[in-house]
Amino acid sequence: MHKLTVLYPEPTDRAAFVAYYEGTHLPLAAALPGLLDWRYSVEVSTGPAGEPAPYFAVFEAEFADAEAFRAAMASPEGLAVAADVPNYATGGATVLDYAVTGGGAS
């Protein structure tokens, strides 16, 4: 499995971020070819001592493998997703993609 994780720092306007993200960006992301599953949160918890979290929101997507992920991002849908990020992510975004190995229920 291959995973995409996007971390969003605090935006200029939380309400505007959430409205655009949920109403426009997530439907674009959901249309990525080869996408197996996705999830997101705009409720990132504070640190153990109550310090602010370094990120406001997180998005995760799963693909069968790196090739499926790369094909999705090179597709017209993937290009549209990437081009849309500046429309709402005023704090920018940190993008990670990686192969998932190991793990399982204990």
Side-chain angles (χ1 to χ4, degrees):
M1 180 189 322
H2 199 81
K3 186 173 270 196
L4 165 68
T5 300
V6 183
L7 304 169
Y8 296 100
E10 188 70 35
T12 303
D13 180 337
R14 283 181 174 224
F17 177 103
V18 172
Y20 189 93
Y21 190 65
E22 292 179 341
T24 301
H25 190 74
L26 288 176
L28 291 174
L32 287 168
L35 181 65
L36 299 176
D37 200 8
W38 64 274
R39 64 200 58 81
Y40 77 101
S41 178
V42 292
E43 298 179 28
V44 177
S45 299
T46 59
E51 67 273 14
Y55 298 103
F56 162 73
V58 61
F59 173 82
E60 297 178 337
E62 296 173 355
F63 296 85
D65 51 36
E67 292 77 22
F69 168 70
R70 305 240 183 281
M73 296 314 294
S75 72
E77 295 87 350
L79 296 174
V81 166
D84 190 49
V85 174
N87 293 328
Y88 66 91
T90 56
T94 298
V95 179
L96 307 168
D97 77 88
Y98 50 94
V100 177
T101 57
S106 47

